[in-house]
Amino acid sequence: MNQNTRTQRAILRDRARTHRAAARIHRNGAASLTTHAIAAGLRPAEARTVASSLRRNAAKLSITGQAARAHAGRRMRTTTRYTPQQVAQAAIAYRPRRPEYKMAKDRLTLAA
């Protein structure tokens, strides 16, 4: 497999991941902060970083999401789901430094 093919496959994989996350948010009305970050175009590792910062900002602003149960392997775990409007409020207070995170902040703010 040559470099061009590898690059194109990565682009398609990222685009599919972003579209799946956005569709899940649209279908359910709420999702975890990580899912919102993935829908904004970040990869999962970067999305987890942004989500933890958004979680901290949401707590400062007293934004509480909706408690839910999620499958995690063979166990269930408690998670919190946020609406796009709640994520936008938390994103306004978020001050990223990296350019990718700044782009994600803009997309999260506009998603509401």
Side-chain angles (χ1 to χ4, degrees):
M1 181 178 344
N2 62 19
Q3 183 62 37
N4 190 29
T5 304
R6 206 174 353 262
T7 303
Q8 294 301 319
R9 289 177 76 176
I11 290 170
L12 286 174
R13 189 171 46 246
D14 292 344
R15 191 183 311 157
R17 183 186 310 115
T18 300
H19 182 72
R20 261 194 317 273
R24 183 180 304 128
I25 293 167
H26 180 72
R27 184 174 54 245
N28 297 333
S32 69
L33 291 174
T34 305
T35 303
H36 281 284
I38 290 172
L42 295 174
R43 293 188 174 176
E46 297 168 339
R48 283 189 288 272
T49 303
V50 170
S52 68
S53 297
L54 289 174
R55 199 172 293 115
R56 189 170 50 244
N57 287 327
K60 286 179 187 176
L61 298 172
S62 300
I63 299 171
T64 57
Q66 181 181 13
R69 300 287 285 168
H71 291 279
R74 294 183 179 204
R75 295 194 170 100
M76 296 291 287
R77 69 178 171 87
T78 303
T79 184
T80 307
R81 295 186 179 152
Y82 297 87
T83 63
Q85 292 80 17
Q86 291 173 326
V87 175
Q89 288 176 346
I92 290 171
Y94 176 48
R95 294 181 302 168
R97 292 187 181 139
R98 290 180 58 182
E100 305 90 41
Y101 297 169
K102 288 180 182 180
M103 178 199 62
K105 175 192 173 178
D106 294 339
R107 288 184 180 175
L108 288 171
T109 305
L110 294 175

